[in-house]
Amino acid sequence: MARREIYEHRSTINAPAAQVLKWHWNPGTMNRLMPPWQNVKVLQAATSPQNGQRAILQLTMGALKLDWVAEHCDYIDGEQFADKQLSGPFAYWHHTHRVLPIDGTSCTLVDRVEYSLPAAELSEPFMGPWIKANLQRLFKYRHAVTAADLKMYNQLGGRSMKVLITGSNGLVGSHLISFLTSQGHQVTTMTRKITSANQILWDPETGQVDKGRLEGFDAVVHLAGENIASGRWSREKKASIRTSRVQGTKLLSETLASLATPPKVLISASAIGYYGDRGDKILTEESAAGEGFLADVCREWESATDSARERGIRVAELRIGVVLSPKGGALTKMLPPFRMGAGGRLGTGKQFMSWIALDDLVGVIEHILVNEELSGPINAVAPNPVTNSEFTSALGASLHRPTIFPVPGLAINLLLGEMANDLLLASTRVQPTKLLASGYVFRYAHVAPLLKQMLSAA
C-alpha cells in the first residue's frame, strides 16, 4: 500500500457553525470554492452532505480532460461530512470537512485531506512538495472565500431575493449566478434558447419576450450585450454593439414597466467608457460624459432604462471598469504574451486603467440589490486605479516574467483602429464614490495582491 500523506488546514470563521455547514450545500457554493487559477469545471455538485451523494469535477490539463468523481461518506449531523475519491488523479483521496463551534457567532473550519499519489515511490520525490504547496494555496483560498461570503451574507441580513438575470452565459453572468445562489437567492435567467425550466425566453433582436413569466421577481440584473473587444470596429460592428445594448435594454425596461407588479430594482450594466479619455482627472458619478463612440453608446445605453425608472422601479446603471479574472475578459488576452516574457506597456503607459476584481463585481451587484438607497449611475471599479505601466509591472511580477517589450501607440492604432483609442490607450481614472459612501468594503482594493493570488504559482 502506498504511503498516505496528510494535509490539514484550519481557520476561524466569524459565523455560527450551523450556518457554515449549511452554506456548503447552497447551489453555487461548489463553484465559489473553485480557485480562479485552476482549470476545473463542476459537472455535478452534490446537493446534500449525506453519505452516497456524488460530485463530479472535470480537470483540464492542456488537451487532456480528466473527470474526478467523489462520493460523500462519514457524515455526522451538525459536525462534519467527508468525500472519498472513486476515480480521479490520486491513488487515494479522503477529504474531511469539520466545523467546530467556538461560540454562538464563530467556529473553526477544519479541512483534513489524507491522500497518496499514483506510483508514490516514483512520483512523491518530484510531485510531493508541489502537491503540498498547492493544497496549502487551495485551502487558504477556500477558507478566505468562505469567510468573506458569509461575512457579506450576515452584513446584508441574509435576505433571499428572486433575481432575474440576462447575459448569464458571460464571464460576469455565470460567476454572478454561482455567487447569488450560494448566498441563498433564487436565480432565473433570460435567454434566446430555452434548455431548462429555470429559463425565460427573450430575443432583443426580434423584440420577443415571454412577458407572462416576468411577474413576481424582486430584482433584475441586465448584463446582456455584444462583446466590444471581440474584433476591429467596422461600421457593422459598431452598429451591432450599439443595437445590442440600447435596443435590448429598452425592450427589457419597457416590458418590466408594463408589468402589473414590476420588480423593485433593475441593475443595468454600463461601462466607464461613459467618461471617455480624460487623462489624470479623477472621475466620479457626478462627472460629465466624455466624447467618442463608447461614451455615446453608454449615454444611450443608460437612457434606455428611462421607462423602468418612470414606472417607479429603482434603477442602477453599473459603470463597470476592466474586469480582472483569468477565466475570461481582458486579462486572458494579455496572459499569453506576458507568460512568454514578451509583455510590455501599451503606448506611453501613462494612461489610467480603472479595474475591478470579478469577485468584487458580483459582490457589488448584491450590495446594490439589497441597499435601497443606491440608484442612478454607480462606478463599479476598485478604489485604486493604476496606470498601464503600473499594471504591466504588477502583471509581470505575478508571473515572474520581464516586461521589456513596449507596444507603440501607433502600432496599436494600425492594428485595431478606433477600438485601440477607446479601449487600450484611453485614460480613465474613476473612483467608486457611491459604493464607498454606502459602506461597501472591497475584497481587492489593490491590483498587485489580486494578480499575485490569481496567477502566481504555488
Side-chain angles (χ1 to χ4, degrees):
M1 180 183 292
R3 186 181 71 179
R4 292 180 181 174
E5 303 291 335
I6 294 176
Y7 175 79
E8 184 174 289
H9 190 92
R10 58 176 60 210
S11 63
T12 299
I13 307 294
N14 292 319
Q19 187 183 72
V20 175
L21 278 175
K22 182 181 177 182
W23 177 80
H24 278 83
W25 302 108
N26 285 340
T29 296
M30 196 168 187
N31 277 310
R32 290 292 298 155
L33 294 175
M34 294 296 140
W37 61 84
Q38 288 187 341
N39 200 350
V40 179
K41 182 178 181 180
V42 178
L43 299 181
Q44 175 182 306
T47 56
S48 80
Q50 274 77 18
N51 296 342
Q53 286 280 316
R54 291 189 178 185
I56 304 175
L57 307 178
Q58 186 178 77
L59 288 67
T60 301
M61 297 164 283
L64 176 66
K65 294 184 183 296
L66 173 67
D67 285 355
W68 188 351
V69 182
E71 183 176 84
H72 286 329
C73 59
D74 302 338
Y75 172 66
I76 302 175
D77 188 29
E79 182 178 334
Q80 74 170 43
F81 62 94
D83 50 81
K84 60 182 178 182
Q85 176 186 286
L86 299 182
S87 62
F90 290 86
Y92 178 84
W93 174 276
H94 186 281
H95 175 196
T96 302
H97 318 245
R98 297 191 69 197
V99 179
L100 308 174
I102 297 174
D103 52 34
T105 61
S106 62
C107 62
T108 300
L109 177 61
V110 182
D111 281 286
R112 185 180 188 275
V113 179
E114 187 176 355
Y115 67 95
S116 59
L117 300 177
E121 292 184 359
L122 296 176
S123 60
E124 178 64 32
F126 303 100
M127 295 293 294
W130 183 82
I131 292 292
K132 288 180 180 178
N134 275 274
L135 287 174
Q136 181 179 27
R137 186 183 182 203
L138 167 67
F139 284 106
K140 181 179 179 181
Y141 174 84
R142 290 176 62 134
H143 282 220
V145 169
T146 302
D149 281 13
L150 284 167
K151 179 180 179 181
M152 188 167 189
Y153 176 84
N154 288 319
Q155 285 177 336
L156 298 178
R159 294 175 56 186
S160 177
M161 304 177 72
K162 292 182 66 176
V163 184
L164 182 64
I165 298 176
T166 74
S168 59
N169 292 325
L171 172 67
V172 177
S174 58
H175 201 72
L176 179 63
I177 291 172
S178 295
F179 177 68
L180 290 181
T181 54
S182 74
Q183 294 288 80
H185 301 289
Q186 301 175 52
V187 173
T188 301
T189 62
M190 295 184 73
T191 179
R192 287 181 172 90
K193 185 177 181 181
I194 301 296
T195 58
S196 74
N198 205 34
Q199 296 174 324
I200 296 175
L201 181 67
W202 89 312
D203 188 339
E205 292 183 5
T206 62
Q208 183 180 15
V209 59
D210 190 352
K211 178 181 173 181
R213 293 189 60 197
L214 298 186
E215 297 279 0
F217 287 95
D218 299 306
V220 177
V221 181
H222 176 44
L223 302 171
E226 183 167 338
N227 188 343
I228 63 174
S230 61
R232 191 181 179 96
W233 287 354
S234 63
R235 180 180 300 177
E236 293 76 15
K237 176 70 172 179
K238 289 168 69 175
S240 180
I241 290 171
R242 187 187 300 269
T243 299
S244 70
R245 281 160 172 73
V246 178
Q247 287 190 3
T249 303
K250 186 176 182 181
L251 171 65
L252 180 63
S253 298
E254 290 178 348
T255 305
L256 295 177
S258 69
L259 297 177
T261 307
K264 294 180 180 179
V265 57
L266 166 63
I267 298 177
S268 185
S270 182
I272 59 170
Y274 175 92
Y275 300 109
D277 184 1
R278 307 289 279 273
D280 62 357
K281 182 178 181 180
I282 297 176
L283 304 167
T284 72
E285 288 89 351
E286 302 300 321
S287 300
E291 298 179 352
F293 170 68
L294 275 187
D296 291 343
V297 168
C298 288
R299 279 197 299 270
E300 293 182 44
W301 194 2
E302 294 182 10
S303 294
T305 62
D306 284 350
S307 56
R309 185 180 292 103
E310 291 166 1
R311 179 65 167 84
I313 300 171
R314 175 168 63 95
V315 177
E317 292 94 8
L318 205 59
R319 293 175 182 167
I320 303 171
V322 178
V323 181
L324 294 182
S325 168
K327 295 293 187 181
L331 186 58
T332 57
K333 297 179 180 180
M334 301 178 202
L335 286 176
F338 274 83
R339 281 184 167 138
M340 292 187 294
R345 61 173 170 78
L346 302 179
T348 66
K350 295 179 181 179
Q351 66 272 29
F352 275 91
M353 168 183 162
S354 294
W355 59 276
I356 187 169
L358 181 56
D359 263 357
D360 268 317
L361 180 53
V362 298
V364 161
I365 290 172
E366 187 189 34
H367 182 77
I368 297 171
L369 287 176
V370 301
N371 281 273
E372 295 180 1
E373 74 279 8
L374 285 170
S375 64
I378 297 172
N379 292 333
V381 294
N384 296 289
V386 292
T387 64
N388 177 259
S389 289
E390 291 168 337
F391 180 82
T392 297
S393 296
L395 182 54
S398 71
L399 296 170
H400 308 290
R401 296 290 189 274
T403 55
I404 56 176
F405 294 97
V407 184
L410 178 60
I412 301 173
N413 271 307
L414 289 173
L415 180 64
L416 298 175
E418 185 180 0
M419 185 173 75
N421 290 323
D422 277 21
L423 292 184
L424 301 178
L425 300 177
S427 181
T428 316
R429 190 180 185 182
V430 182
Q431 279 296 302
T433 307
K434 285 189 176 180
L435 288 175
L436 294 175
S438 68
Y440 183 79
V441 178
F442 284 83
R443 299 189 190 196
Y444 303 98
H446 298 276
V447 75
L450 170 65
L451 293 173
K452 182 177 181 181
Q453 185 202 66
M454 290 193 303
L455 302 173
S456 294

